[in-house]
Amino acid sequence: MRILPVSLVALTLAACGGAGGGTATVPAEAVAAIDTATIMGHIRALADDSMQGRAPGGIGEERAVAYIENQFKAIGLTPGNPDGSYIQNVPLVAITADPRMTLDLKGKMRASLKYRDDFVAWTRHVDSEVSIKDAPLVFVGYGVEAPEYNWDDYKGLDVSGKILVMLVNDPQLPDTNAFRGKAMTYYGRWTYKYEQGMKHRAAGVLIVHEAALAGYPWAVVQGMGGEKFDLAAADSNRARAKMEAWIHFDRAKALFAAAGLDFDSLKARATTREFTPVPLDVTASVSIKNSIRSVASRNVAGKLEGSDPALKDEYVVYTAHWDHFGLGTPVGGDSIYNGALDNASGTAALLDLAKAFKAMPAAPKRSILFLAVTAEEQGLLGSQHYSVSPLYPLAKTLANINIDGLNTEGPTKDLVVVGMGASELEDYARDAAAEQGRILKADPEPEKGFYYRSDHFNFAKQGVPAFYADAGTEVIGQPADFAMKQREKYTNEDYHKPTDEIKPEWNLAGAVQDLVLYLTIGYRVAQAATYPEWRPGNEFRAAREAQLRP
Ligand SMILES: [Zn+2]
């Protein structure tokens, strides 16, 4: 179904309005090029069993990368890599920790914790074995240093060589200005906790798993063992803490109790600025044996060169990850993790957006890069690699628009902006939504920290304003709670499972609506007189200012 006539009229209206986000009229040919059949065709191809779940480094990669590259060529994009190819190599390393490990505690608590039941651990050191001997455990609260909130959990204590026991998420303070209240800040993400371990040259980090605060059950943590991918860093990741781990809540409570400490009062103390680190009078030893393999993976990049000689070396970058989990633990006899929604749909969106831009009578002033990244499921690695080794200068990259999952429930009255309030890209989105008779809404689950869980985050971390949205919560013609129920159903039944497959009831007319909006944002940024900025006070603004400083 095509919903365009209304929006086409609305788009023309835009030429005379538009609050903050540029006012260029999107060529009708481009809008007309976005359709459900094209999107569904790409999803069908990328989510087919023959793609074997599109794992990095496998046959699925060969087929998915070939498909995307061929589509870029068929659409007429030029090679996205200045070396004349459509490929950016992403050297990865895959490390599998031998699960026959124990975490041996001595001192106030003597115990040999069991892997998977009591703790899950791995190392990112590219070494066949790492070991820690009798490292003292110290509780560092949330392990956060946030100068903007006048927060420092370390108070200058040297914790190098120690094992840091940390709480997950960020402090939930009554003063909602700090740590953005219920919404999870990056300080709450487990990736940040392990980065703190590296920063403080700790021997290891043990995060206490509280299901409510983590946002997922212990079973998900148990799944974090096994093979782990990483970018093949020059230092073989030896700057990182040797052990990165989670400890089961009950074990953590027992540990604190053995040290004569009550978990709840300790946690209450940790949720204050006055908190100081607490030695637990327990030491830990562990030996992690690894099998290691190198994986040569790829990002796929296609470019539409800008039409303005003065601006064509400036870029708008659309991203979507093409990878998924490949073959894995069978569910109902099915071991192919097809990743139809996650993220064959987003990759399909990237291809259809490319077709739309190519359908324009004239290319936009600035260049558009379409970047299908690898290894998102393994830790946002393809986009991390791009962000530290960009094909085009990030200082000349005006915006990133990331698509991870499309709306399959039908047209909506709204669009959910993840990380609402972050940047001026929202103004572009608000204008484009208004032209469709829609409104923007904030993420209904801010506590889950979705802004930090997909590829735009790596662009944001480097300072590039990055936009990421999710399907609207008000589906036209459906009960008010329909969308959230569908979202919950997907999270419980299909998220990262073999059953994430194309469903007969899918309705992609809502996806077309969203793609027209993404098209409008990217096009107007590419035509705009000024660079979009992060809002004052945003956590990424400083990085951008430094990036743009001459
Ligand atoms: Zn995804």
Side-chain angles (χ1 to χ4, degrees), residues 396-420:
K396 295 215 177 234
T397 301
L398 281 76
N400 165 239
I401 298 160
N402 183 46
I403 307 162
D404 194 348
L406 280 181
N407 171 12
T408 57
E409 307 299 345
T412 59
K413 294 178 189 156
D414 61 328
L415 179 82
V416 165
V417 176
V418 177
M420 183 80 113

PDB file of all heavy atoms in Angstrom, residues 396-420:
ATOM      1  N   LYS A 396      33.722  16.216   8.768  1.00  0.00           N
ATOM      2  CA  LYS A 396      32.952  16.593   7.566  1.00  0.00           C
ATOM      3  C   LYS A 396      31.717  15.703   7.436  1.00  0.00           C
ATOM      4  O   LYS A 396      31.130  15.585   6.353  1.00  0.00           O
ATOM      5  CB  LYS A 396      33.831  16.466   6.339  1.00  0.00           C
ATOM      6  CG  LYS A 396      34.992  17.455   6.340  1.00  0.00           C
ATOM      7  CD  LYS A 396      35.283  17.925   4.959  1.00  0.00           C
ATOM      8  CE  LYS A 396      36.373  18.968   4.951  1.00  0.00           C
ATOM      9  NZ  LYS A 396      35.959  20.203   4.255  1.00  0.00           N
ATOM     10  N   THR A 397      31.400  15.035   8.510  1.00  0.00           N
ATOM     11  CA  THR A 397      30.206  14.190   8.532  1.00  0.00           C
ATOM     12  C   THR A 397      29.157  14.898   9.379  1.00  0.00           C
ATOM     13  O   THR A 397      29.331  15.068  10.579  1.00  0.00           O
ATOM     14  CB  THR A 397      30.541  12.799   9.111  1.00  0.00           C
ATOM     15  OG1 THR A 397      31.558  12.201   8.299  1.00  0.00           O
ATOM     16  CG2 THR A 397      29.314  11.895   9.127  1.00  0.00           C
ATOM     17  N   LEU A 398      28.079  15.340   8.705  1.00  0.00           N
ATOM     18  CA  LEU A 398      27.102  16.189   9.404  1.00  0.00           C
ATOM     19  C   LEU A 398      26.180  15.388  10.318  1.00  0.00           C
ATOM     20  O   LEU A 398      25.729  15.905  11.350  1.00  0.00           O
ATOM     21  CB  LEU A 398      26.240  16.966   8.406  1.00  0.00           C
ATOM     22  CG  LEU A 398      26.885  18.196   7.801  1.00  0.00           C
ATOM     23  CD1 LEU A 398      27.907  17.806   6.733  1.00  0.00           C
ATOM     24  CD2 LEU A 398      25.849  19.130   7.230  1.00  0.00           C
ATOM     25  N   ALA A 399      25.898  14.162   9.908  1.00  0.00           N
ATOM     26  CA  ALA A 399      24.928  13.392  10.685  1.00  0.00           C
ATOM     27  C   ALA A 399      25.013  11.911  10.338  1.00  0.00           C
ATOM     28  O   ALA A 399      25.449  11.544   9.245  1.00  0.00           O
ATOM     29  CB  ALA A 399      23.512  13.877  10.386  1.00  0.00           C
ATOM     30  N   ASN A 400      24.621  11.112  11.312  1.00  0.00           N
ATOM     31  CA  ASN A 400      24.411   9.683  11.082  1.00  0.00           C
ATOM     32  C   ASN A 400      22.957   9.371  11.381  1.00  0.00           C
ATOM     33  O   ASN A 400      22.391   9.846  12.371  1.00  0.00           O
ATOM     34  CB  ASN A 400      25.319   8.861  12.001  1.00  0.00           C
ATOM     35  CG  ASN A 400      24.901   7.388  12.088  1.00  0.00           C
ATOM     36  OD1 ASN A 400      24.603   6.866  13.162  1.00  0.00           O
ATOM     37  ND2 ASN A 400      24.838   6.705  10.953  1.00  0.00           N
ATOM     38  N   ILE A 401      22.323   8.607  10.495  1.00  0.00           N
ATOM     39  CA  ILE A 401      20.955   8.139  10.714  1.00  0.00           C
ATOM     40  C   ILE A 401      21.023   6.617  10.681  1.00  0.00           C
ATOM     41  O   ILE A 401      21.419   6.044   9.662  1.00  0.00           O
ATOM     42  CB  ILE A 401      20.007   8.679   9.637  1.00  0.00           C
ATOM     43  CG1 ILE A 401      19.975  10.212   9.692  1.00  0.00           C
ATOM     44  CG2 ILE A 401      18.590   8.097   9.809  1.00  0.00           C
ATOM     45  CD1 ILE A 401      19.471  10.875   8.427  1.00  0.00           C
ATOM     46  N   ASN A 402      20.729   6.000  11.807  1.00  0.00           N
ATOM     47  CA  ASN A 402      20.883   4.552  11.938  1.00  0.00           C
ATOM     48  C   ASN A 402      19.523   3.868  11.941  1.00  0.00           C
ATOM     49  O   ASN A 402      18.580   4.358  12.566  1.00  0.00           O
ATOM     50  CB  ASN A 402      21.630   4.235  13.237  1.00  0.00           C
ATOM     51  CG  ASN A 402      21.887   2.744  13.414  1.00  0.00           C
ATOM     52  OD1 ASN A 402      22.327   2.070  12.484  1.00  0.00           O
ATOM     53  ND2 ASN A 402      21.578   2.229  14.599  1.00  0.00           N
ATOM     54  N   ILE A 403      19.434   2.733  11.265  1.00  0.00           N
ATOM     55  CA  ILE A 403      18.173   1.991  11.213  1.00  0.00           C
ATOM     56  C   ILE A 403      18.433   0.566  11.699  1.00  0.00           C
ATOM     57  O   ILE A 403      19.195  -0.176  11.075  1.00  0.00           O
ATOM     58  CB  ILE A 403      17.597   1.984   9.788  1.00  0.00           C
ATOM     59  CG1 ILE A 403      17.497   3.423   9.257  1.00  0.00           C
ATOM     60  CG2 ILE A 403      16.227   1.303   9.761  1.00  0.00           C
ATOM     61  CD1 ILE A 403      17.355   3.522   7.753  1.00  0.00           C
ATOM     62  N   ASP A 404      17.831   0.221  12.822  1.00  0.00           N
ATOM     63  CA  ASP A 404      17.984  -1.119  13.395  1.00  0.00           C
ATOM     64  C   ASP A 404      16.591  -1.616  13.750  1.00  0.00           C
ATOM     65  O   ASP A 404      16.081  -1.362  14.830  1.00  0.00           O
ATOM     66  CB  ASP A 404      18.896  -1.061  14.632  1.00  0.00           C
ATOM     67  CG  ASP A 404      19.373  -2.451  15.059  1.00  0.00           C
ATOM     68  OD1 ASP A 404      18.820  -3.445  14.544  1.00  0.00           O
ATOM     69  OD2 ASP A 404      20.254  -2.527  15.910  1.00  0.00           O
ATOM     70  N   GLY A 405      15.951  -2.293  12.779  1.00  0.00           N
ATOM     71  CA  GLY A 405      14.584  -2.757  12.980  1.00  0.00           C
ATOM     72  C   GLY A 405      13.588  -1.773  12.391  1.00  0.00           C
ATOM     73  O   GLY A 405      13.693  -0.569  12.611  1.00  0.00           O
ATOM     74  N   LEU A 406      12.629  -2.306  11.555  1.00  0.00           N
ATOM     75  CA  LEU A 406      11.612  -1.447  10.956  1.00  0.00           C
ATOM     76  C   LEU A 406      10.263  -1.741  11.595  1.00  0.00           C
ATOM     77  O   LEU A 406      10.048  -2.800  12.180  1.00  0.00           O
ATOM     78  CB  LEU A 406      11.508  -1.725   9.453  1.00  0.00           C
ATOM     79  CG  LEU A 406      12.550  -1.082   8.533  1.00  0.00           C
ATOM     80  CD1 LEU A 406      12.250  -1.461   7.082  1.00  0.00           C
ATOM     81  CD2 LEU A 406      12.577   0.425   8.691  1.00  0.00           C
ATOM     82  N   ASN A 407       9.340  -0.808  11.452  1.00  0.00           N
ATOM     83  CA  ASN A 407       7.966  -0.979  11.926  1.00  0.00           C
ATOM     84  C   ASN A 407       7.248  -1.965  11.006  1.00  0.00           C
ATOM     85  O   ASN A 407       7.175  -1.756   9.800  1.00  0.00           O
ATOM     86  CB  ASN A 407       7.258   0.384  11.912  1.00  0.00           C
ATOM     87  CG  ASN A 407       5.771   0.248  12.173  1.00  0.00           C
ATOM     88  OD1 ASN A 407       5.303  -0.809  12.581  1.00  0.00           O
ATOM     89  ND2 ASN A 407       5.038   1.324  11.916  1.00  0.00           N
ATOM     90  N   THR A 408       6.718  -3.041  11.581  1.00  0.00           N
ATOM     91  CA  THR A 408       6.000  -4.043  10.786  1.00  0.00           C
ATOM     92  C   THR A 408       4.528  -4.114  11.171  1.00  0.00           C
ATOM     93  O   THR A 408       3.818  -5.043  10.797  1.00  0.00           O
ATOM     94  CB  THR A 408       6.629  -5.428  11.014  1.00  0.00           C
ATOM     95  OG1 THR A 408       6.586  -5.713  12.422  1.00  0.00           O
ATOM     96  CG2 THR A 408       8.064  -5.471  10.522  1.00  0.00           C
ATOM     97  N   GLU A 409       4.065  -3.135  11.944  1.00  0.00           N
ATOM     98  CA  GLU A 409       2.696  -3.198  12.472  1.00  0.00           C
ATOM     99  C   GLU A 409       1.704  -2.322  11.722  1.00  0.00           C
ATOM    100  O   GLU A 409       0.522  -2.316  12.039  1.00  0.00           O
ATOM    101  CB  GLU A 409       2.686  -2.793  13.960  1.00  0.00           C
ATOM    102  CG  GLU A 409       3.664  -3.550  14.820  1.00  0.00           C
ATOM    103  CD  GLU A 409       3.401  -5.057  14.856  1.00  0.00           C
ATOM    104  OE1 GLU A 409       2.291  -5.470  14.445  1.00  0.00           O
ATOM    105  OE2 GLU A 409       4.311  -5.796  15.263  1.00  0.00           O
ATOM    106  N   GLY A 410       2.201  -1.520  10.767  1.00  0.00           N
ATOM    107  CA  GLY A 410       1.281  -0.637  10.044  1.00  0.00           C
ATOM    108  C   GLY A 410       1.499   0.821  10.409  1.00  0.00           C
ATOM    109  O   GLY A 410       2.197   1.123  11.383  1.00  0.00           O
ATOM    110  N   PRO A 411       0.890   1.726   9.619  1.00  0.00           N
ATOM    111  CA  PRO A 411       1.113   3.156   9.837  1.00  0.00           C
ATOM    112  C   PRO A 411       0.771   3.597  11.254  1.00  0.00           C
ATOM    113  O   PRO A 411      -0.135   3.052  11.886  1.00  0.00           O
ATOM    114  CB  PRO A 411       0.189   3.813   8.808  1.00  0.00           C
ATOM    115  CG  PRO A 411       0.006   2.787   7.756  1.00  0.00           C
ATOM    116  CD  PRO A 411       0.022   1.465   8.475  1.00  0.00           C
ATOM    117  N   THR A 412       1.520   4.594  11.725  1.00  0.00           N
ATOM    118  CA  THR A 412       1.329   5.073  13.104  1.00  0.00           C
ATOM    119  C   THR A 412       1.076   6.575  13.120  1.00  0.00           C
ATOM    120  O   THR A 412       1.355   7.278  12.146  1.00  0.00           O
ATOM    121  CB  THR A 412       2.599   4.792  13.943  1.00  0.00           C
ATOM    122  OG1 THR A 412       3.694   5.468  13.313  1.00  0.00           O
ATOM    123  CG2 THR A 412       2.878   3.303  14.041  1.00  0.00           C
ATOM    124  N   LYS A 413       0.606   7.049  14.270  1.00  0.00           N
ATOM    125  CA  LYS A 413       0.387   8.492  14.454  1.00  0.00           C
ATOM    126  C   LYS A 413       1.648   9.159  14.988  1.00  0.00           C
ATOM    127  O   LYS A 413       1.732  10.381  15.069  1.00  0.00           O
ATOM    128  CB  LYS A 413      -0.754   8.720  15.448  1.00  0.00           C
ATOM    129  CG  LYS A 413      -2.107   8.248  14.971  1.00  0.00           C
ATOM    130  CD  LYS A 413      -3.159   8.478  16.048  1.00  0.00           C
ATOM    131  CE  LYS A 413      -4.484   7.808  15.687  1.00  0.00           C
ATOM    132  NZ  LYS A 413      -5.289   7.518  16.904  1.00  0.00           N
ATOM    133  N   ASP A 414       2.622   8.340  15.381  1.00  0.00           N
ATOM    134  CA  ASP A 414       3.824   8.888  16.021  1.00  0.00           C
ATOM    135  C   ASP A 414       5.060   8.130  15.580  1.00  0.00           C
ATOM    136  O   ASP A 414       4.974   7.116  14.889  1.00  0.00           O
ATOM    137  CB  ASP A 414       3.687   8.773  17.545  1.00  0.00           C
ATOM    138  CG  ASP A 414       3.561   7.313  17.994  1.00  0.00           C
ATOM    139  OD1 ASP A 414       3.002   6.495  17.237  1.00  0.00           O
ATOM    140  OD2 ASP A 414       4.070   6.975  19.083  1.00  0.00           O
ATOM    141  N   LEU A 415       6.210   8.672  15.976  1.00  0.00           N
ATOM    142  CA  LEU A 415       7.488   7.979  15.812  1.00  0.00           C
ATOM    143  C   LEU A 415       8.216   8.100  17.148  1.00  0.00           C
ATOM    144  O   LEU A 415       8.173   9.156  17.786  1.00  0.00           O
ATOM    145  CB  LEU A 415       8.332   8.638  14.720  1.00  0.00           C
ATOM    146  CG  LEU A 415       9.704   8.003  14.467  1.00  0.00           C
ATOM    147  CD1 LEU A 415       9.572   6.788  13.564  1.00  0.00           C
ATOM    148  CD2 LEU A 415      10.675   9.008  13.850  1.00  0.00           C
ATOM    149  N   VAL A 416       8.857   7.007  17.575  1.00  0.00           N
ATOM    150  CA  VAL A 416       9.592   7.040  18.849  1.00  0.00           C
ATOM    151  C   VAL A 416      11.040   7.430  18.589  1.00  0.00           C
ATOM    152  O   VAL A 416      11.727   6.779  17.799  1.00  0.00           O
ATOM    153  CB  VAL A 416       9.515   5.674  19.558  1.00  0.00           C
ATOM    154  CG1 VAL A 416      10.558   5.588  20.678  1.00  0.00           C
ATOM    155  CG2 VAL A 416       8.123   5.438  20.113  1.00  0.00           C
ATOM    156  N   VAL A 417      11.475   8.516  19.207  1.00  0.00           N
ATOM    157  CA  VAL A 417      12.875   8.937  19.077  1.00  0.00           C
ATOM    158  C   VAL A 417      13.646   8.410  20.281  1.00  0.00           C
ATOM    159  O   VAL A 417      13.314   8.737  21.423  1.00  0.00           O
ATOM    160  CB  VAL A 417      12.988  10.467  18.990  1.00  0.00           C
ATOM    161  CG1 VAL A 417      14.458  10.888  18.962  1.00  0.00           C
ATOM    162  CG2 VAL A 417      12.262  10.981  17.756  1.00  0.00           C
ATOM    163  N   VAL A 418      14.647   7.574  20.016  1.00  0.00           N
ATOM    164  CA  VAL A 418      15.471   7.035  21.111  1.00  0.00           C
ATOM    165  C   VAL A 418      16.518   8.089  21.465  1.00  0.00           C
ATOM    166  O   VAL A 418      17.190   8.610  20.574  1.00  0.00           O
ATOM    167  CB  VAL A 418      16.131   5.713  20.680  1.00  0.00           C
ATOM    168  CG1 VAL A 418      17.033   5.185  21.779  1.00  0.00           C
ATOM    169  CG2 VAL A 418      15.066   4.687  20.310  1.00  0.00           C
ATOM    170  N   GLY A 419      16.595   8.428  22.765  1.00  0.00           N
ATOM    171  CA  GLY A 419      17.513   9.502  23.162  1.00  0.00           C
ATOM    172  C   GLY A 419      16.949  10.868  22.819  1.00  0.00           C
ATOM    173  O   GLY A 419      17.651  11.746  22.343  1.00  0.00           O
ATOM    174  N   MET A 420      15.644  11.011  23.069  1.00  0.00           N
ATOM    175  CA  MET A 420      14.960  12.280  22.776  1.00  0.00           C
ATOM    176  C   MET A 420      15.664  13.425  23.505  1.00  0.00           C
ATOM    177  O   MET A 420      16.110  13.264  24.639  1.00  0.00           O
ATOM    178  CB  MET A 420      13.501  12.190  23.249  1.00  0.00           C
ATOM    179  CG  MET A 420      12.650  13.399  22.949  1.00  0.00           C
ATOM    180  SD  MET A 420      12.054  13.416  21.247  1.00  0.00           S
ATOM    181  CE  MET A 420      10.284  13.188  21.528  1.00  0.00           C
TER     182      MET A 420
END
